[in-house]
Each structure stands twice: as structure tokens, then as C-alpha cells.
Amino acid sequence: MIKRQKNRKFELVSKFKPAGDQEQAIDKLTAGFKKGYKEQILEGATGTGKTFTASVIASELGVPLFVVQMDKIVTKFMGETSAKLRLVFEDIKKNIG
């Protein structure tokens, strides 16, 4: 389903810069990944900059970025079983790590 491209790193191209508390969040989450934390969650209201913050972190660390928007997944897979949806996430984890 998902094929990993070797030696491909995420590069952020944006005219925007981190603002407000984004810089602090970026520093804290980046430090967490460098300590070996493999999974961290950003949560917040719509439009607060979570995706941009994650993009900056992925770019700084040179790692792939996967953005999961639950409202779009639920709409796309409406009527599918939870088992099939679970397969999507298992496939990502297996192929990307």
C-alpha cells in the first residue's frame, strides 16, 4: 500500500515562520525525538498550527512526516470496518517504522 523511498527526507518550503508558543513546542518535541521518543502527539483546536509545527520538526530532523486528519479518514472509509482501517495504520507502521 505504501512504499518507502530510501534516502528521501522531508524538506519544508514555506514563507511562514514559527510564532507564539510554536517555537517552544518545536524545541520540546525535537528534544523528545532526539532522546528516543518515537511517538509524540500534538493536540489542539483547528487552525492552531499543529501541522506546521510538525512540518518544522520533521524538516529539522530530516524524517518523513505523515499527517492524519481523522475527519477525512472517517469520511473516506465510511462504511468500512474498523479492521480495514486498522490495516491502513499497521501498513504504515510496518513499511515506515
Side-chain angles (χ1 to χ4, degrees), residues 40-79:
Q40 298 184 77
I41 296 176
L42 280 172
E43 63 179 356
T46 303
T48 57
K50 296 176 297 295
T51 302
F52 180 72
T53 298
S55 299
V56 171
I57 294 166
S59 181
E60 286 183 8
L61 295 175
V63 297
L65 175 67
F66 294 92
V67 177
V68 178
Q69 297 175 324
M70 290 307 294
D71 60 330
K72 292 188 174 59
I73 288 178
V74 170
T75 301
K76 182 175 181 176
F77 292 98
M78 189 64 77

Side-chain angles (χ1 to χ4, degrees), residues 25-37 40 61:
I26 290 166
D27 291 343
K28 185 176 181 179
L29 291 165
T30 300
F33 283 113
K34 288 180 178 179
K35 287 180 184 176
Y37 301 156
Q40 298 184 77
L61 295 175

Side-chain angles (χ1 to χ4, degrees), residues 10-38:
F10 178 81
E11 179 183 347
L12 177 63
V13 178
S14 175
K15 63 182 179 179
F16 300 104
K17 301 289 180 202
D21 61 357
Q22 284 179 322
E23 291 180 22
Q24 182 182 14
I26 290 166
D27 291 343
K28 185 176 181 179
L29 291 165
T30 300
F33 283 113
K34 288 180 178 179
K35 287 180 184 176
Y37 301 156
K38 292 187 176 190

